[in-house]
Amino acid sequence: MLYEMRIYHCMPGRLPDLNKRFDTITLKIWQKHGIVPVGFWTNVIGDSNSTLTYMLQWESLAERELKWSAFAADPDWLTARAETEKNGPLITHFSNAIMAPTAYSPMK
């Protein structure tokens, strides 16, 4: 099992819009493509209160490539993303890491 951690750094004041997009749009499209979210977090204490961190679960890098590519090209996603960003982008930048659990990790 692999886990992908993605951190989205939002434009000022746009974190609520990003959260709404995930809640009402993105998760449904991910479900259609078999993308499995592990969890979503916002910072209570930390560098910024305008970041969204989430993790996805993958069986392999090949699965990730196949499913993420299909999601990124999905016409429903492209339309929804354009609509939710008609007043400007929601994020300034993002980072991601794909991680494998250690032998002693409770999460495998």
Side-chain angles (χ1 to χ4, degrees):
M1 194 62 61
L2 298 173
Y3 296 92
E4 182 173 3
M5 180 176 64
R6 298 177 67 89
I7 302 172
Y8 287 8
H9 301 269
C10 292
M11 297 293 289
R14 300 301 303 267
L15 180 58
D17 296 327
L18 182 62
N19 282 322
K20 182 179 178 183
R21 182 168 77 185
F22 271 100
D23 186 35
T24 62
I25 298 168
T26 309
L27 290 175
K28 291 175 184 144
I29 299 172
W30 281 0
Q31 185 175 29
K32 176 171 80 171
H33 292 285
I35 296 173
V36 179
V38 175
F40 295 83
W41 300 269
T42 55
N43 292 354
V44 175
I45 298 173
D47 291 340
S48 172
N49 64 355
S50 63
T51 60
L52 175 67
T53 301
Y54 68 92
M55 291 184 73
L56 302 172
Q57 178 179 304
W58 305 106
E59 294 289 332
S60 65
L61 290 174
E63 179 202 25
R64 183 202 181 271
E65 179 64 29
L66 182 71
K67 291 180 178 181
W68 195 258
S69 294
F71 160 69
D74 186 301
D76 292 335
W77 166 244
L78 295 173
T79 299
R81 181 177 176 187
E83 179 63 25
T84 59
E85 293 185 355
K86 67 183 175 193
N87 295 321
L90 300 183
I91 66 170
T92 61
H93 64 286
F94 75 94
S95 60
N96 72 319
I98 298 176
M99 303 171 291
T102 61
Y104 52 86
S105 175
M107 235 170 120
K108 299 289 182 196

